[in-house]
Amino acid sequence: MSFVQNLPFFSIIIAMFSGILSSVISGKKARNLSLFAIVVTTLMSGAVLAYCMRTGESYTYMMGHFPAPWGNEIRAGVLEGLTALLFGVVMLLAVIGGMHHTFRDVEEGKINQFFIMIDLMLSSLLALIYTNDLFTAYVFIEINTIAGCGLIMIRQKGHSFTAAIRYMIMSQLGSGLFLIGLSLLYDVTGHLLMSPAKEAVAAIESAGNYEIPMLVILALISVGLAIKSGLYPFHSWIPDTYGYATPTASAILSGLVSKGYIFLLIKIFYRVLGMETVLASRIVNVLFVFGLAGMIMGSVHAIFEKDTRRMIAYSSVAQIGYIYMGIGLGTREGMIAAIFHVFAHSATKALLFISAVGLYEVSGGKKDYRSLRGAGYRNPLAGIGFAAGSLSMVGFPMLSGFISKLLFATSALQSPRKMMVTLLVLAISTVLNAVYFLRLVITLYSTRKSDEAQSSGEVQSSDHAGTVKSGVQEGVAAQRWNLKISVACYIILNLILGLGSQPIIDAIARGLEMFG
C-alpha cells in the first residue's frame, strides 16, 4: 500500500487530536494548532486527489487492516479528494477572515473551546466525505451537530442560545430519522459497510422482496439528511443560526456543514441504495419539488428581510434548493451540476459572510440597509468581495455561480419531463436573486446624505463626531491583514471555479463513475 493511501485516515485523526490538545492549551495556541491542522489536512486532501487522478481508481483503506465486520473502512476517490480539498480551503479562509471577531466576540477563557469546535467540525466533515461505513457516518453526524451548536452559542448571547436550541432540535429530528432508516437498512441487509450493503440491496431488488421497507428506508434517510441540510420547508433554523453566530462560524455553517450532509446523501444513493433503486422509487421527484420550492421561497424571504445577515442566510435556503433540484433531475448531468454548485456555493457564501464583516465594521456595527450606504467606499476590498459574491449568486459570467446555472440549464435539457418547469423556476429564481443581491450592492455604493452634507460644509458637530468614529473604524478595518487576505483569496477561488471550471467538472464526472 502506498503511503498516500493512509492520508484520509491521518487527516481525520489529526483533526480529532487537535481538538483534544486544544482543550488543555491557551486560546492563541489553540488557534495556531487549528490553523496547522486545517493546513495539513488540506495538503493531505490535495495529495489524495492527485493520487486518485493519476491512478484513475478509488481505493479502500481498512483501519487496523481488519476486514468487516470487525474493521472499519475509508474509501477515497477523485470526488472525495476534491471535496475535502475545497472544504479545507474554505474553512481555512473562514478562520483567518473572522479571526479578529472570534477573539472579540468570544470570552477570553473560552477561545480554546471555540477552536475545539472548529477541530471537531473539520474531523466530522472529513469523516463524512471519506467514510465507507454507515454507522461511522452517523457517529460523525452527531459530532458535527454538537460542534455546530457549540459554534453558534459560544457568543453567550440570548439570540445565540435561541438559535442553538432551534438548530439542535431540527438537527436531532433529522438525525433520528436517519438513524431509524439506518437501523431498518441493517435489519434488511445485515451490513453497515457501504459496498456489501449495496450488494445486498441489489439482491433484494432482483428478488422483489422488501419493496415497501426499502421505500421507507430510502424516505427516512433522504428526509433526515434533507432536514439537516436545510432543504425547504425544513429551513426555519437557518436565518437565526447563520445570522447570530460569529463570522467564522457563519461562514463554516453556511458554506460547509449543509454540504457535508448533501455529500453523504449522494454517497448513499450511489454506494448503498444504487441510483437505479433511487430512481425507481421516485423519491428524486419529491426532492425535485422541494428544491424548486426552496429556490423561490428562499429568495422571497430574502427580499423582505431588512437585516442583511439574515438576508444572506435566506439566500442559502434558495441555493440549497438549487442543489436538490439538480439531484431531483435524476440524471448524471443534473448530479454533476448539483455537486459543482456545492463547491460554488461553499466558496461564494463564505465570501459573502466574511466580506459583510468588513462592511459592518465601517458602518458602526449595524447591519441594516440604511446604515450600509456607502460602505463599499469606506472598505473597498470588502465592498469588492461582497459585489463579487453577489454577482456570482446572480449568475454573472466568469464567476462560479454562472457555471452552476449554466450546468443546471443544460442538464434540464436531458430530462424532457422536467425541462420546462426547471428552466422557468431557474429564470424566476435568478431574477429574484438579482433583486435582493444587486439592491444591496447598489446600496453599498450609494452616498449617504450625511456624507453629502459634510462635503458641502453643512454637517453639524454631532454628525462630524459620527464621521470621525466611522473614519477610525475604517482605519482599524484597513489594518486587518487577515480580513484582506481572506476576501482576496475567496475572490480568487471564485474566479478559479468560474474560469477554470472544465477540469473541475471533468473531475466530478470521474468521481461519480468511481462512486458507482
Side-chain angles (χ1 to χ4, degrees):
M1 173 178 286
S2 173
F3 176 76
V4 73
Q5 292 178 282
N6 297 274
L7 296 185
F9 172 70
F10 290 163
S11 299
I12 299 170
I13 294 300
I14 287 172
M16 290 288 290
F17 271 93
S18 296
I20 295 172
L21 292 176
S22 295
S23 64
V24 294
I25 59 179
S26 65
K28 290 185 178 180
K29 290 181 179 178
R31 174 201 62 190
N32 295 336
L33 181 59
S34 293
L35 289 173
F36 173 79
I38 297 171
V39 170
V40 170
T41 55
T42 301
L43 292 175
M44 288 181 174
S45 299
V48 171
L49 172 61
Y51 175 83
C52 294
M53 290 288 288
R54 186 175 69 253
T55 61
E57 297 178 351
S58 62
Y59 66 90
T60 300
Y61 174 87
M62 293 187 295
M63 287 188 281
H65 303 286
F66 292 107
W70 299 280
N72 202 335
E73 285 187 358
I74 286 174
R75 184 171 175 179
V78 170
L79 192 52
E80 290 92 334
L82 180 60
T83 304
L85 174 62
L86 182 78
F87 280 19
V89 172
V90 171
M91 180 173 284
L92 176 64
L93 296 178
V95 173
I96 292 174
M99 191 180 300
H100 170 77
H101 281 263
T102 298
F103 280 84
R104 191 193 70 178
D105 296 340
V106 181
E107 294 180 15
E108 184 176 355
K110 296 181 179 179
I111 295 293
N112 66 326
Q113 296 179 19
F114 178 86
F115 287 104
I116 291 171
M117 297 301 110
I118 293 291
D119 295 332
L120 292 177
M121 183 66 72
L122 175 62
S123 66
S124 63
L125 288 171
L126 290 171
L128 292 179
I129 291 170
Y130 285 125
T131 186
N132 200 40
D133 182 86
L134 289 167
F135 188 74
T136 300
Y138 171 73
V139 170
F140 279 96
I141 282 175
E142 292 304 292
I143 293 175
N144 193 294
T145 300
I146 294 170
C149 285
L151 289 175
I152 296 165
M153 67 193 310
I154 197 72
R155 294 185 69 182
Q156 301 287 299
K157 292 185 178 180
H159 284 303
S160 299
F161 286 123
T162 303
I165 292 172
R166 184 172 294 175
Y167 176 77
M168 177 65 79
I169 292 172
M170 293 301 295
S171 292
Q172 289 305 314
L173 175 60
S175 298
L177 292 175
F178 179 81
L179 181 59
I180 293 172
L182 190 62
S183 301
L184 292 175
L185 181 64
Y186 178 69
D187 186 49
V188 171
T189 64
H191 295 284
L192 288 174
L193 291 179
M194 293 185 180
S195 300
K198 183 176 182 180
E199 294 176 2
V201 169
I204 290 170
E205 289 294 320
S206 62
N209 299 326
Y210 300 110
E211 291 184 4
I212 294 179
M214 287 303 301
L215 180 60
V216 172
I217 290 168
L218 179 56
L220 288 171
I221 291 176
S222 299
V223 174
L225 293 177
I227 291 174
K228 293 188 72 67
S229 57
L231 175 63
Y232 186 89
F234 313 113
H235 68 288
S236 59
W237 54 271
I238 286 181
D240 289 341
T241 298
Y242 298 170
Y244 297 121
T246 64
T248 292
S250 296
I252 292 173
L253 290 168
S254 64
L256 301 180
V257 174
S258 296
K259 314 309 182 302
Y261 299 133
I262 294 172
F263 190 85
L264 177 61
L265 179 63
I266 294 172
K267 279 212 304 186
I268 291 174
F269 279 178
Y270 275 87
R271 287 191 183 169
V272 180
L273 301 173
M275 279 306 296
E276 296 81 6
T277 302
V278 174
L279 294 174
S281 70
R282 299 185 180 178
I283 194 73
V284 292
N285 294 338
V286 178
L287 298 178
F288 178 75
V289 171
F290 284 127
L292 294 178
M295 290 167 64
I296 300 297
M297 297 307 299
S299 295
V300 170
H301 283 297
I303 288 174
F304 291 101
E305 187 58 58
K306 302 301 181 184
D307 187 309
T308 55
R309 287 196 78 178
R310 289 174 61 87
M311 181 273 285
I312 300 171
Y314 270 119
S315 168
S316 291
V317 178
Q319 301 306 317
I320 290 170
Y322 276 85
I323 297 170
Y324 277 99
M325 181 268 290
I327 295 173
L329 287 173
T331 62
R332 174 179 174 273
E333 291 77 13
M335 192 66 74
I336 292 173
I339 295 173
F340 186 88
H341 197 61
V342 166
F343 298 163
H345 184 250
S346 297
T348 305
K349 192 49 60 82
L351 169 62
L352 288 170
F353 273 111
I354 296 299
S355 298
V357 172
L359 299 172
Y360 301 150
E361 286 179 338
V362 294
S363 304
K366 297 181 180 179
K367 303 173 179 65
D368 60 285
Y369 281 84
R370 179 177 297 179
S371 300
L372 290 174
R373 290 180 68 89
Y377 295 115
R378 299 192 295 274
N379 193 335
L381 183 58
I384 293 172
F386 196 91
S390 299
L391 292 173
S392 179
M393 288 288 93
V394 173
F396 191 79
M398 298 191 299
L399 298 171
S400 61
F402 171 77
I403 302 299
S404 290
K405 296 193 176 186
L406 180 63
L407 290 174
F408 283 126
T410 54
S411 61
L413 302 178
Q414 307 298 321
S415 183
R417 294 183 179 180
K418 300 175 181 177
M419 179 179 65
M420 291 305 299
V421 66
T422 300
L423 295 177
L424 178 62
V425 174
L426 191 62
I428 294 173
S429 178
T430 300
V431 172
L432 295 177
N433 290 164
V435 169
Y436 60 86
F437 271 123
L438 296 187
R439 178 181 64 177
L440 182 52
V441 171
I442 292 171
T443 300
L444 296 178
Y445 291 97
S446 299
T447 306
R448 295 185 300 182
K449 292 182 179 180
S450 59
D451 296 334
E452 294 174 353
Q454 181 188 12
S455 63
S456 62
E458 299 176 358
V459 65
Q460 297 178 353
S461 60
S462 60
D463 295 328
H464 178 70
T467 303
V468 172
K469 182 179 179 182
S470 296
V472 173
Q473 290 173 333
E474 181 180 1
V476 172
Q479 296 173 6
R480 293 193 185 131
W481 60 269
N482 55 314
L483 186 65
K484 286 184 175 182
I485 290 175
S486 180
V487 171
C489 290
Y490 273 132
I491 294 173
I492 293 171
L493 179 59
N494 219 287
L495 289 171
I496 290 173
L497 290 171
L499 297 176
S501 59
Q502 193 56 54
I504 299 172
I505 294 170
D506 294 339
I508 293 172
R510 290 182 63 184
L512 284 177
E513 292 176 1
M514 294 180 186
F515 263 20

